[in-house]
Amino acid sequence: MLDDWNTDRVNRFRAEAASRGLPTDEVDTWIRRALPGVYWASGGDGPVSARLGGAPLLPVDAPDPSFPFVASVDCALLPPGAAGLPLPSDGHLLFFADPDPGFTGPVSDAVRHVSAHTPTAARADTGHEPFAPQEMCTTWHHLSPPDPESFAEARWEEPDDEQYELADELQSAWTHVGGSWPVWTFALGGHPIVINDDPLVLARDSEPEAEDADEWVLLATWRCDADVAELDLGVISWLIRRQDLASLRFDRVYGHVGM
């Protein structure tokens, strides 16, 4: 269910698209393809619902992570059905990543769920240089539009220039009515940020014969900014099959580093 702000945005998008003469069928398809997401920015008031960098809080007997710690999300502070994903209702989701430019592929140790009431301790020495710690209290929920090129290629089998232009115009109309939001740093759900390749398409294409290829969803996104100098405003994405997320099968995550 859309909250009031998202419902209002959809209505304003319809009006803007109509004023531009955009086809109603494609406007409706764009709206259906929009996905809910939860977005964080550093600082703010209220409880700390997510943390970036620093030392991860891990069970005492847990093995050291294979990659640097990126973020922790307090699942108990997420509303039910947040981001439209079957997320755990309690405990913390911990995200790790190899910030190697151009990395993409399966990663078995990039996401961990630490259930509530599990004794934990800060793991200061993981063998990786920690990222700068940040507390994130500012959080909001809104619809994430598809990438226009990905939209066109999913909508039409072999899109032509006019269809790519139509997708760009739909994005323009959506952005025009969006209002002003803070620049977010970390997110759950929504659509991927596409720099060169669409991470969701790469994950789906990684096993082209699999019957559950369409089950892949974007789990989380980190906009690295200055925290990873070698990525030059890079983006790290974690993707997972919906059923694997519901079953807490985080050994089957697909990671992507874009810049």
Side-chain angles (χ1 to χ4, degrees):
M1 180 181 296
L2 304 181
D3 60 31
D4 291 341
W5 186 87
N6 281 318
T7 301
D8 182 57
R9 180 174 191 170
V10 167
N11 292 337
R12 288 184 284 118
F13 169 64
R14 287 188 186 278
E16 177 65 22
S19 74
R20 301 185 185 200
L22 301 182
T24 302
D25 287 349
E26 306 312 331
V27 170
D28 290 340
T29 301
W30 182 273
I31 293 170
R32 288 195 299 270
R33 297 278 174 85
L35 296 174
V38 181
Y39 298 83
W40 281 271
S42 298
D45 300 324
V48 179
S49 52
R51 298 177 185 271
L52 277 176
L57 293 173
L58 292 170
V60 176
D61 58 350
D64 283 337
S66 301
F67 309 110
F69 170 64
V70 172
S72 173
V73 173
D74 189 338
C75 298
L77 295 180
L78 297 174
L85 298 174
L87 297 166
S89 59
D90 61 23
H92 289 77
L93 280 177
L94 276 61
F95 295 86
F96 305 84
D98 179 2
D100 180 34
F103 171 81
T104 185
V107 281
S108 61
D109 189 25
V111 181
R112 298 187 189 185
H113 177 242
V114 179
S115 58
H117 311 301
T118 299
T120 60
R123 189 75 58 87
D125 184 11
T126 62
H128 306 288
E129 185 71 23
F131 298 116
Q134 303 177 48
E135 293 186 343
M136 295 186 289
C137 305
T138 301
T139 179
W140 66 97
H141 310 262
H142 70 84
L143 288 175
S144 167
D147 172 76
E149 183 174 331
S150 297
F151 173 87
E153 292 172 356
R155 178 66 169 152
W156 300 288
E157 185 173 350
E158 294 184 2
D160 56 28
D161 289 345
E162 289 186 0
Q163 289 165 328
Y164 279 118
E165 290 172 4
L166 173 56
D168 286 336
E169 190 66 19
L170 288 166
Q171 182 195 46
S172 174
W174 180 271
T175 302
H176 180 76
V177 301
S180 177
W181 285 91
V183 176
W184 57 271
T185 301
F186 193 81
L188 292 178
H191 279 284
I193 294 177
V194 178
I195 299 177
N196 294 308
D197 299 305
D198 187 328
L200 198 52
V201 172
L202 293 176
R204 289 169 176 166
D205 289 348
S206 64
E207 298 179 3
E209 303 302 322
E211 295 181 357
D212 59 355
D214 289 340
E215 285 291 302
W216 283 100
V217 295
L218 176 65
L219 175 57
T221 305
W222 179 35
R223 299 171 74 166
C224 308
D225 293 333
D227 290 313
V228 185
E230 62 267 33
L231 288 185
D232 188 22
L233 304 181
V235 174
I236 295 179
S237 306
W238 295 262
L239 304 104
I240 192 171
R241 292 179 178 85
R242 185 176 291 273
Q243 182 55 49
D244 287 340
L245 176 57
S247 303
L248 304 182
R249 285 290 308 273
F250 295 116
D251 59 316
R252 300 178 65 179
V253 165
Y254 189 95
H256 178 75
V257 178
M259 60 173 290

